[in-house]
Structures are given as C-alpha cells and as structure tokens.
Amino acid sequence: MNPDRDVEIKYTKIFINNEFVDSVSGKTFETINPSNGRVITRLQEGDRHDIDKAVAAARNAFKRDSVWRKTDASKRGKLINKLADLIERDSHYLASLETIDSGKPYRGSLYDVLGSVAYLRYYAGWADKVCGKTIPVDGPNFAYSRLEPMGVCGFITPWNAEMLTLMSKLGPALATGNTVVVKPAEQVIHKSFITIYKIVNF
C-alpha cells in the first residue's frame, strides 16, 4: 500500500484540558514536507505560557479525588488497549501523516505505527500487575512497599520517530496512573498524540 499524499490535516491547535485551543500568544508557524519543500499547514506555536496551562491541567487531573486517580488499574489497561485499537484501525492514515511529516518512507512509517500499537498493548497488560511487596522482618512487625504514581510526566518527542517514542513513554506512564504533558518536535506536525488525549481524558 502507498501513502495517501493528500492526507487530510484534521488538527492544528494545541490540546489542553480536553479541548483544542489557540496558543496564548496567538502565534503560528509553518510545517514543511521535507520531500518537496511545500507547506503542509500552519500550527499553533506554543511557548512557556502554554506549557504552564498544560501542566496545571495535568496536575488537576492527578488530584487525589479526580476521575483519573479513582480509575481502577484494570480500566486504565482497557483504555490503553482502546487507544491501541484505534491506532491500528487508522494505521494507514497515521502512517501517511508520518510520511509527509518526516520524509520517512511509508514502510518505515507503518512500522512505527504498528510498533506503537504493540507498545501500548504490552503496557496495557501491566496496568493491574504493578504492585508492592510484603517484606519479611524480625519480631511482631509488618513491612511492605507500595508503588504509587509520581504525578505529571513531561515528554519531549523527536522528529524522526515521534509516534513510536511517544507510545513507549506514554504506555507505562498511563498504565501506572500518571498524567502526561507532551511537547512534540516542532519540525513535524504528527497528530497521533491528539487521539491519545481524546481517549484518556474523561
């Protein structure tokens, strides 16, 4: 199968707190198809003010009584598997985006997309299996360890393997109950992470 060279660009805004928004500054920038030098689209240009908004939203989503914090580990695994299903369903579209985005051959792009699905399925299986230990101690004492999520995780993804790298980080972070803020490479328009937020945000 060949890439769709006229692939539709569906999203150009920043996704924060379950909605698409313009950058605080209102600035945009062009993203270029490296294979022909043509402008693909214009994107909102985020800066530290947008990062602050995203981090605040992620912190709020991580609060002790939030929906995400109260989500059972088994349900987190189901949500991650749902994301894997949707990426697999739209693999041709996403691989086509990756190809015009980074200049990568379609076969390599498809490999990255399907590899991302594999990453997510692997980590979805761990969601309800990360647990602490009971530790033998002397005397009438009881000792144990408990593994808990850290909080907001910040990820910066590279231009040449953005989706694959993102899923290798996103999978374990979400499986263990953390929240995530992603800063994609500005050299590309890769929109796969948009889908992620739409699924994991309630």
Side-chain angles (χ1 to χ4, degrees):
M1 184 179 289
N2 294 319
D4 179 359
R5 299 191 184 280
D6 296 316
V7 61
E8 178 187 1
I9 309 302
K10 297 180 179 179
Y11 307 103
T12 60
K13 295 188 176 187
I14 301 171
F15 197 77
I16 299 175
N17 200 26
N18 211 30
E19 64 179 339
F20 292 100
V21 297
D22 291 330
S23 60
V24 173
S25 68
K27 293 181 181 178
T28 62
F29 67 97
E30 293 179 343
T31 184
I32 308 296
N33 183 332
S35 70
N36 57 25
R38 295 177 186 160
V39 174
I40 301 170
T41 192
R42 293 193 69 88
L43 302 171
Q44 293 296 311
E45 183 177 326
D47 60 22
R48 67 189 202 77
H49 301 293
D50 302 288
I51 293 171
D52 288 345
K53 283 178 61 178
V55 170
R59 282 181 175 156
N60 191 53
F62 189 72
K63 284 182 179 177
R64 183 162 301 278
D65 292 325
S66 70
V67 174
W68 180 244
R69 283 295 294 274
K70 293 191 290 187
T71 299
D72 293 335
S74 59
K75 185 173 181 182
R76 289 200 305 267
K78 289 177 182 177
L79 287 170
I80 296 169
N81 267 318
K82 180 180 178 183
L83 174 59
D85 290 342
L86 294 172
I87 291 174
E88 191 168 40
R89 181 197 71 188
D90 295 336
S91 58
H92 174 64
Y93 172 75
L94 293 170
S96 296
L97 267 183
E98 178 82 348
T99 295
I100 66 165
D101 226 5
S102 64
K104 183 180 293 190
Y106 178 77
R107 187 189 311 185
S109 297
L110 188 60
Y111 173 87
D112 284 358
V113 171
L114 297 179
S116 297
V117 171
Y119 271 134
L120 289 173
R121 295 205 192 287
Y122 175 80
Y123 288 114
W126 273 102
D128 58 358
K129 298 173 185 67
V130 176
C131 55
K133 297 179 180 179
T134 302
I135 304 164
V137 292
D138 293 341
N141 302 303
F142 178 70
Y144 68 97
S145 64
R146 179 175 173 174
L147 303 182
E148 297 181 339
M150 295 292 293
V152 179
C153 301
F155 301 146
I156 300 174
T157 54
W159 66 270
N160 60 335
E162 188 170 359
M163 186 171 190
L164 195 62
T165 305
L166 175 58
M167 298 307 163
S168 72
K169 298 172 183 293
L170 190 81
L174 294 181
T176 51
N178 296 285
T179 57
V180 176
V181 173
V182 178
K183 189 271 180 193
E186 67 273 13
Q187 297 92 338
V188 295
I189 63 161
H190 204 0
K191 294 298 164 211
S192 57
F193 70 94
I194 295 297
T195 307
I196 296 159
Y197 289 118
K198 291 181 80 172
I199 292 166
V200 301
N201 281 280
F202 293 86

